Amino acid sequence: MHGKTVLLTGATQGMGRHLAHALASAGATLLLHGRDGARMAQVASEVRALAPDAPPRTYLADLSDLDQVRALADRLLRAESRLDVLVNNAAVGGGVDPARREVSRQGHELRFAVNHLAPYLLTRRLLPLLTASAPSRVVNVASMGQTPIDFDNAMLEREYEGVRAYCQSKLAMIMATFDLAAEFAGDGITLNVLHPAHLMDTEMVRQSGFTPVAELAEGMRPTLRLIADPAVAGVTGTYFDQFTEAPAQAQAYDPDARARLAALTETLCAVDD
């Protein structure tokens, strides 16, 4: 990873923090994203200690606010000369109270906004930098927990349940990854998505009411493979269950559902093409 610049969202805790340590040790120049300044400063200090010759650069933004996502992308485009890898790792889980529906700054269902809309918008807006740095990679961290989207109730204003919201947001991320991979196949950018490990030992998993069963290192290893392994350099538009190419939930392969999601996503993001 020497000479490679990697943007890692959600870098201040959980698997993101461990990825930051591993990437720094491998020689990458890190662009660390988080929404908590104190935690960001702590992780940046840890990374500097591991790689004093490649100090990280930090970017604060709350991904539940799409205006902050746009501003984050704009700052990156102004400040950075290259971007070899974008890792969309930040996420919101099912929540402490699964019956409590939360919304983003723009009024969208929170999990859909943070887990799908934010990484989609960030990726879209950083495409000029990714293209200029090609061959480049986008690695999206999803989940084996995937629930079909009911497009008549996509924001779950009826029959809300937090884990369902999380699972449909991760399926949306997978579907968008497939579409973007096809759209930019000729631009030297690969886009892949993975389930890193089942119920890792993270605050998000515990807050959602689950008992962790996997160490963070178990999820970090397959994620690092998609970030750095030359063996997957030409692979794009693929969903991985850890190290293995696997089928996602059936809706991910439904052209009508993909088209409806794409239209909904662009409407909610108000993307300027």
Side-chain angles (χ1 to χ4, degrees):
M1 294 301 293
H2 286 276
K4 301 293 187 181
T5 300
V6 180
L7 170 59
L8 175 59
T9 71
T12 61
Q13 58 183 329
M15 189 177 76
R17 183 179 179 186
H18 280 65
L19 277 171
H21 292 174
L23 289 165
S25 298
T29 296
L30 287 177
L31 313 178
L32 301 174
H33 158 267
R35 63 187 179 94
D36 182 291
R39 288 200 304 239
M40 176 72 81
Q42 177 60 41
V43 173
S45 176
E46 294 164 2
V47 167
R48 280 193 294 271
L50 289 167
D53 294 332
R57 296 185 284 278
T58 59
Y59 291 87
L60 285 171
D62 184 345
L63 300 188
S64 70
D65 182 349
L66 295 181
D67 289 338
Q68 291 195 41
V69 176
R70 291 184 186 89
L72 169 62
D74 290 345
R75 292 201 305 274
L76 285 156
L77 290 171
R78 288 194 302 268
E80 304 299 336
S81 60
R82 68 176 301 109
L83 180 59
D84 298 281
V85 186
L86 165 59
V87 185
N88 287 309
N89 166 73
V92 177
V96 176
D97 180 358
R100 178 170 172 255
R101 182 177 180 273
E102 299 173 278
V103 297
S104 71
R105 175 70 177 78
Q106 283 72 33
H108 311 319
E109 193 281 315
L110 183 66
R111 278 119 194 109
F112 198 84
V114 174
N115 300 347
H116 167 57
L117 298 179
Y120 174 88
L121 182 58
L122 183 62
T123 301
R124 270 240 180 251
R125 294 182 79 93
L126 291 178
L127 282 170
L129 189 54
L130 289 162
T131 302
S133 307
S136 54
R137 305 184 187 192
V138 178
V139 178
N140 290 331
V141 180
S143 172
M144 68 183 299
Q146 301 160 30
T147 298
I149 302 163
D150 176 358
F151 288 99
D152 294 323
N153 187 30
M155 293 297 99
L156 296 176
E157 294 171 306
R158 305 183 305 277
E159 301 176 346
Y160 183 82
E161 200 280 323
V163 174
R164 176 187 174 190
Y166 171 83
C167 290
Q168 82 159 18
S169 74
K170 288 302 188 178
L171 179 59
M173 173 186 251
I174 293 167
M175 294 162 75
T177 303
F178 292 169
D179 283 344
L180 289 172
E183 183 177 350
F184 297 101
D187 294 326
I189 307 169
T190 61
L191 295 99
N192 293 296
V193 58
L194 84 157
H195 163 68
H198 183 55
L199 297 178
M200 286 184 292
D201 188 9
T202 66
E203 181 181 351
M204 183 177 76
V205 166
R206 290 188 294 272
Q207 282 185 345
S208 298
F210 296 104
T211 300
V213 298
E215 296 296 327
L216 288 168
E218 186 177 336
M220 184 179 68
R221 286 191 292 269
T223 309
L224 279 172
R225 173 176 173 256
L226 291 182
I227 293 170
D229 191 345
V232 295
V235 177
T236 192
T238 302
Y239 168 70
F240 290 89
D241 183 345
Q242 295 197 290
F243 295 97
T244 305
E245 182 177 346
Q249 204 280 336
Q251 193 182 52
Y253 306 99
D254 179 341
D256 179 65
R258 292 249 292 269
R260 294 183 73 179
L261 175 64
L264 175 64
T265 299
E266 297 234 350
T267 298
L268 297 181
C269 287
V271 174
D272 296 320
D273 292 324

